[in-house]
Amino acid sequence: MNASDETIVALEDVAKHFGAVKALDGVSLTVTSGECLGLVGHNGAGKSTLMHILAGTLDPDRGTIRVGGSDLSNRYNVGVAGENGVRCVFQELSLCPNLTVAENARVFHPSVTGFGWKRRAGTLIREMLDEIFPGHGIEAEDVVGDLSIGKRQMVEIARAFTTTDLPLRTVILDEPTSSLDAVTSGQLLRFIRRVLEQGVSCILTSHVLGEVLDVSDRIVVMKDGLVIATRKGSDFDRNSLVAAMGNVVEIDEIEQHEAREKLRGVAPVVVEAAADRARDTVSLTAHQGEIVGLAGLAGHGQTDLILKIYGAAMRGKGPVNVTRPVALVAGDRQTDGIFHLWSISANIGIRSLAKTVRRGLIDPLAEAAIGAEWRDRISIRTPDMQNNILSLSGGNQQKALFARALASDAEIILMDDPMRGVDVGTKLEVYDLIRAEAEKGRTFLWYTTEMDELYNCDHTFVFRDGAIVADLARGDLTEERVLHSSFQESA
Amino acid sequence: MVDRLTSPRFLRAVLPAASFAILLIAIFYLKPRTMSYFGLNLMLQYTVPIALATIAQMFIITVNDLDLSIGPFVGLTACIGATWLADTPLLGILALAGCVAAYAALGALIHWRNLPSIVVTLGMSFVWLGIAVLILPTPGGTAPGWVKWLMGVKTPVVPFPIVATVVIGLVVHLLLMRSSYGAVLRGAGGNPRAIGRAGWSLLKTKMVMFGAAGFFGVLSGLSLIGLTSAADAHIADRYTLYAIAGVILGGGEFVGGRVSPIGAVIGAMTLTLTGSFLTFLKISPDWQIGAQGGILIIVLALRALINRREGLV
């Protein structure tokens, strides 16, 4: 390591709000030449937002951005970032699937143009792939859409390190190893150490804490849009890092839940499913009247399992054993949940058509009756249930989706992180509703990325890489344990 | 080797050429006399304007949009070509340049307001038609001499429509598939966000593609009056669907920036041939459009089969 004092990137008091959500609430950060900065934090801590602002793909609401000493705050965008040597490997891949590997390299470098550009772009990317991932087996003429996800990620990473006429100072790596296997991950981490020696700096996030600990000179811990700790990498170990990421909250309700926990084994099993049968040691079971939490970092197989259970219930086959009718509460309201052009009542009634159909047609009175009933039961705030669903606030739209599921004959309610972007008041109302419905014998499977919501569950399963890695009774549930299980044991 | 020849990607690539070849062989079998310079010239003479309109549509499809106005637009440029361009060339050239600029502006509008291109172009199709009727209320006008001369060129050995179509396909292939900015343009269809993140202007890619479509629409209109020597506002109404069908027959996809200029011109030739083929089969004109649709469905079904096999691999 020859980390000098030369500051390459400096952020000061950067903030970004999405509506009421404070994704970043005043973050200051510096990266010096030849330094690898590890960035860790739980879901929603603000890591990705911070990286997008640094990459120039999001404008901050306030704060200053300096690169190489010059203040770029008001004119910072992707182009300026590139000219100043700041590159980003995004978590969601940004390659064009219809282009070849070489063409994707060209798209990244405005200067690769003119006669013979294809050959030059191909050489550029192939040499960098050879250097980072020896034996990668990728041709410059391969169409990206035909490559496996791991190879695409290799191309994306290699592309960020290729240089033409523009300088290369800082590469932001957002979960670069999420689709790489152990061998290629190792190759990447060794390569990062090599480029650091050449004075290039890196900002790294990874859900594999071992990688961050191994390669980072300095580690910044984020929580709720703020930096809560910055220390030298060698000062952290796995346990102290996890402890820094989440504060351990004691909750009084544990006893209540433990009483319910005793029902496990007495009440009949209504769902039995394995996330990935090949690797699972634990399988998910839910008993009647239970609220089961599905935890772990976002996108680690929770939604897949929920959809698998839903599919099994609808088609009555597959490896999942579901014994009762199910209903799904979608998380992404706008795309998976509401029917934009329909009234609130129609949106609620769609899951209960059998109840409202008279002689093959939907009886508007019956539909309105269901709507009116649920408006009172879960207090949807609207003057008229015949209004368009979009006239409701986001929280009330979500309530309507809950009403759709609860009004139905379903005894098992699947919830796909339904509380995203919902205000606290609505959340508390819905928690009470869920509790009350569970008392009546309904079973809830609740995928959530928010720790606080897990405290409402009787039993929690933690997911990682598509498999269930922990099975926690309510008494054992702590944020630290969930985090420990969510992040891989070893690099 | 056998694996390569039966691989879905190879099959998909040869499907446009194979359907064209099969159709051509069928025609030769039905009417051996068409197997001549004169016969091919006659059967394929309308290929050039259709191929140009197909290329215009392909540019739009490359950036994940669809142009429902290309037919009336070709009709409009034909009307301008047969009136203003013939009488007062300067005014004609300005008007045609204005048409291209209007197309680029449409692209900008669609990008800027994030509008569905289908709606915008459907509306514009009536605007184009209306202007065309204003310019040329009744069928008539005369094509400029040089346009007629160009479309009547007698090339040695291979008839002009084939030579022209091949040249069009190759030039566009060079511009879109081989040039470095062409990669950016196609990338804008494949993953617009990635192109934006690499620092390119998506507004510019949309404007370039729509502008190019307008330019090829103008060429299509001019080549059409070169053949008919007079114009009519409704002369090219059918081209909208021909152009879409040509792109898709040629192996293009509606979304994802997967297009092929060579395939598109082959698709246009195939479409032109189906008309002759059905006439030779003595199918009455009343049924021809339906039968053409049938041929389209067969070819597209074949491709769907190939794609499904690919999905299984």
Side-chain angles (χ1 to χ4, degrees), chain B residues 173-190:
Chain B
H173 181 83
L174 220 58
L175 289 178
L176 190 64
M177 310 303 281
R178 308 288 307 191
S179 81
S180 58
Y181 191 62
V184 176
L185 291 172
R186 282 180 290 128

Side-chain angles (χ1 to χ4, degrees), chain B residues 2-222:
Chain B
V2 177
D3 281 354
R4 262 195 76 177
L5 287 180
T6 55
S7 82
R9 205 206 281 192
F10 177 79
L11 287 177
R12 206 168 41 192
V14 299
L15 187 62
S19 4
F20 176 70
I22 290 168
L23 203 57
L24 196 62
I25 291 167
I27 288 176
F28 287 163
Y29 175 76
L30 286 171
K31 296 273 172 187
R33 274 193 300 173
T34 56
M35 212 184 331
S36 64
Y37 184 94
F38 181 73
L40 283 173
N41 199 5
L42 206 62
M43 280 196 302
L44 289 170
Q45 61 173 341
Y46 281 96
T47 297
V48 176
I50 293 179
L52 288 165
T54 305
I55 293 287
Q57 184 70 258
M58 188 198 70
F59 285 136
I60 307 276
I61 288 180
T62 305
V63 284
N64 297 343
D65 284 320
L66 200 61
D67 184 2
L68 295 185
S69 68
I70 190 70
F73 180 78
V74 170
L76 169 65
T77 58
C79 288
I80 293 175
T83 54
W84 296 345
L85 189 66
D87 308 332
T88 44
L90 187 65
L91 177 66
I93 288 168
L94 279 178
L96 292 176
C99 287
V100 176
Y103 247 71
L106 277 183
L109 179 75
I110 286 169
H111 175 78
W112 178 48
R113 299 303 308 172
N114 197 16
L115 298 169
S117 58
I118 294 181
V119 176
V120 174
T121 55
L122 184 64
M124 285 312 290
S125 70
F126 297 104
V127 175
W128 303 135
L129 193 63
I131 302 174
V133 170
L134 286 179
I135 293 175
L136 195 66
T138 51
T142 355
W146 57 273
V147 176
K148 275 192 272 191
W149 169 82
L150 183 67
M151 292 308 290
V153 165
K154 291 260 185 296
T155 45
V157 191
V158 184
F160 174 74
I162 297 181
V163 175
T165 309
V166 169
V167 169
I168 293 166
L170 286 178
V171 167
V172 177
H173 181 83
L174 220 58
L175 289 178
L176 190 64
M177 310 303 281
R178 308 288 307 191
S179 81
S180 58
Y181 191 62
V184 176
L185 291 172
R186 282 180 290 128
N191 187 350
R193 210 159 52 156
I195 296 296
R197 281 178 179 174
W200 299 95
S201 159
L202 289 172
L203 175 70
K204 191 178 154 197
T205 58
K206 270 263 149 96
M207 288 181 72
V208 167
M209 281 318 227
F210 272 77
F215 180 69
F216 275 80
V218 167
L219 294 186
S220 171
L222 294 183

Side-chain angles (χ1 to χ4, degrees), chain A residues 10-317:
Chain A
L11 297 182
E12 220 169 284
D13 192 32
V14 167
K16 178 80 191 174
H17 296 183
F18 296 100
V21 181
K22 293 174 179 172
L24 279 183
D25 206 15
V27 167
S28 300
L29 193 77
T30 56
V31 186
T32 56
S33 163
E35 178 187 46
C36 179
L37 187 73
L39 196 56
V40 296
H42 201 39
N43 291 320
K47 293 171 298 178
S48 284
T49 310
L50 185 64
M51 293 200 156
H52 275 287
I53 285 176
L54 253 179
T57 46
L58 264 184
D59 288 330
D61 295 338
R62 64 158 204 267
T64 53
I65 303 171
R66 289 166 181 281
V67 180
S70 46
D71 189 345
L72 304 171
S73 308
N74 292 322
R75 51 187 198 89
Y76 200 67
N77 62 34
V78 185
V80 175
E83 283 163 27
N84 285 281
V86 179
R87 312 266 185 84
C88 188
V89 177
F90 293 98
Q91 191 176 355
E92 67 281 29
L93 298 181
S94 35
L95 298 172
C96 297
N98 59 331
L99 302 186
T100 66
V101 172
E103 284 169 340
N104 269 291
R106 179 276 179 277
V107 163
F108 199 65
H109 291 291
S111 64
V112 180
T113 180
F115 191 71
W117 65 271
K118 245 178 201 179
R119 195 172 30 78
R120 276 181 284 135
T123 315
L124 201 63
I125 188 80
R126 197 169 42 242
E127 282 176 355
M128 190 49 71
L129 277 168
D130 287 343
E131 191 179 342
I132 307 179
F133 305 107
H136 49 78
I138 301 168
E139 299 292 330
E141 288 308 308
D142 286 345
V143 175
V144 166
D146 295 343
L147 297 176
S148 68
I149 179 83
K151 283 186 174 176
R152 282 188 225 180
Q153 192 156 25
M154 285 154 74
V155 171
E156 170 119 19
I157 292 167
R159 188 176 73 159
F161 284 99
T162 53
T163 47
T164 49
D165 52 345
L166 295 172
L168 175 62
R169 285 175 168 152
T170 299
V171 178
I172 303 163
L173 296 153
D174 193 1
E175 295 283 353
T177 57
S178 58
S179 308
L180 298 182
D181 57 33
V183 176
T184 44
S185 296
Q187 289 174 337
L188 172 65
L189 297 180
R190 282 193 295 280
F191 174 76
I192 291 176
R193 294 293 349 162
R194 287 205 299 277
V195 290
L196 294 177
E197 281 166 24
Q198 295 159 18
V200 174
S201 55
C202 289
I203 301 177
L204 174 73
T205 68
S206 173
H207 70 275
V208 187
L209 291 185
E211 291 177 359
V212 179
L213 284 165
D214 278 353
V215 83
S216 303
D217 301 310
R218 208 151 50 93
I219 296 179
V220 169
V221 183
M222 292 187 69
K223 188 181 163 87
D224 298 334
L226 292 168
V227 171
I228 54 167
T230 307
R231 264 184 268 167
K232 269 173 49 190
S234 48
D235 291 352
F236 276 114
D237 61 14
R238 214 187 124 72
N239 291 325
S240 60
L241 194 55
V242 169
M245 280 160 65
N247 50 356
V248 183
V249 202
E250 292 299 328
I251 299 284
D252 319 330
E253 301 167 11
I254 293 182
E255 283 176 15
Q256 244 189 60
H257 287 280
E258 277 181 338
R260 306 190 57 79
E261 185 73 30
K262 295 198 183 82
L263 290 174
R264 246 183 129 74
V266 180
V269 174
V270 291
V271 179
E272 199 168 4
D276 177 347
R277 298 210 296 169
R279 284 182 300 154
D280 265 2
T281 47
V282 192
S283 69
L284 181 144
T285 50
H287 301 73
Q288 190 180 355
E290 213 172 22
I291 306 175
V292 175
L294 278 60
L297 297 173
H300 275 248
Q302 299 95 330
T303 302
D304 293 342
L305 183 66
I306 281 181
L307 293 179
K308 216 195 273 178
I309 293 171
Y310 186 76
M314 288 297 151
R315 283 184 289 276
K317 57 175 186 184

Side-chain angles (χ1 to χ4, degrees), chain A residues 196-475:
Chain A
L196 294 177
E197 281 166 24
Q198 295 159 18
V200 174
S201 55
C202 289
I203 301 177
L204 174 73
T205 68
S206 173
H207 70 275
V208 187
L209 291 185
E211 291 177 359
V212 179
L213 284 165
D214 278 353
V215 83
S216 303
D217 301 310
R218 208 151 50 93
I219 296 179
V220 169
V221 183
M222 292 187 69
K223 188 181 163 87
D224 298 334
L226 292 168
V227 171
I228 54 167
T230 307
R231 264 184 268 167
K232 269 173 49 190
S234 48
D235 291 352
F236 276 114
D237 61 14
R238 214 187 124 72
N239 291 325
S240 60
L241 194 55
V242 169
M245 280 160 65
N247 50 356
V248 183
V249 202
E250 292 299 328
I251 299 284
D252 319 330
E253 301 167 11
I254 293 182
E255 283 176 15
Q256 244 189 60
H257 287 280
E258 277 181 338
R260 306 190 57 79
E261 185 73 30
K262 295 198 183 82
L263 290 174
R264 246 183 129 74
V266 180
V269 174
V270 291
V271 179
E272 199 168 4
D276 177 347
R277 298 210 296 169
R279 284 182 300 154
D280 265 2
T281 47
V282 192
S283 69
L284 181 144
T285 50
H287 301 73
Q288 190 180 355
E290 213 172 22
I291 306 175
V292 175
L294 278 60
L297 297 173
H300 275 248
Q302 299 95 330
T303 302
D304 293 342
L305 183 66
I306 281 181
L307 293 179
K308 216 195 273 178
I309 293 171
Y310 186 76
M314 288 297 151
R315 283 184 289 276
K317 57 175 186 184
V320 179
N321 188 10
V322 192
T323 56
R324 310 280 158 84
V326 305
L328 177 77
V329 182
D332 189 343
R333 277 193 294 287
Q334 301 307 327
T335 48
D336 303 336
I338 61 173
F339 294 94
H340 295 219
L341 299 176
W342 293 8
S343 71
I344 306 166
S345 288
N347 263 289
I348 293 175
I350 184 67
R351 178 62 181 78
S352 315
L353 283 181
K355 276 194 256 176
T356 56
V357 170
R358 307 269 181 280
R359 279 178 247 107
L361 297 172
I362 295 174
D363 176 5
L365 292 177
E367 192 181 81
I370 292 183
E373 180 194 345
W374 283 92
R375 171 180 162 181
D376 297 338
R377 279 185 67 180
I378 65 174
S379 55
I380 296 173
R381 290 179 190 94
T382 175
D384 185 353
M385 290 296 279
Q386 294 309 314
N387 285 350
N388 183 281
I389 183 93
L390 294 177
S391 67
L392 297 178
S393 69
N396 277 298
Q397 287 178 20
Q398 197 63 49
K399 277 190 192 170
L401 292 186
F402 269 101
R404 179 193 291 170
L406 297 176
S408 73
D409 58 351
E411 288 173 40
I412 302 167
I413 313 287
L414 305 171
M415 300 192 285
D416 181 13
D417 202 4
M419 303 305 230
R420 270 180 261 174
V422 172
D423 61 287
V424 181
T426 306
K427 278 185 182 172
L428 295 177
E429 284 175 47
V430 173
Y431 297 161
D432 287 344
L433 186 69
I434 292 172
R435 172 57 57 209
E437 290 290 326
E439 299 285 351
K440 290 183 203 155
R442 272 184 160 147
T443 309
F444 290 82
L445 263 67
W446 189 353
Y447 162 42
T448 173
T449 48
E450 288 179 37
M451 194 58 217
D452 294 345
E453 293 188 347
L454 289 178
Y455 292 125
N456 287 297
C457 299
D458 302 325
H459 204 88
T460 300
F461 293 92
V462 185
F463 284 65
R464 190 183 68 225
D465 291 334
I468 297 172
V469 291
D471 174 357
L472 303 172
R474 182 59 186 81

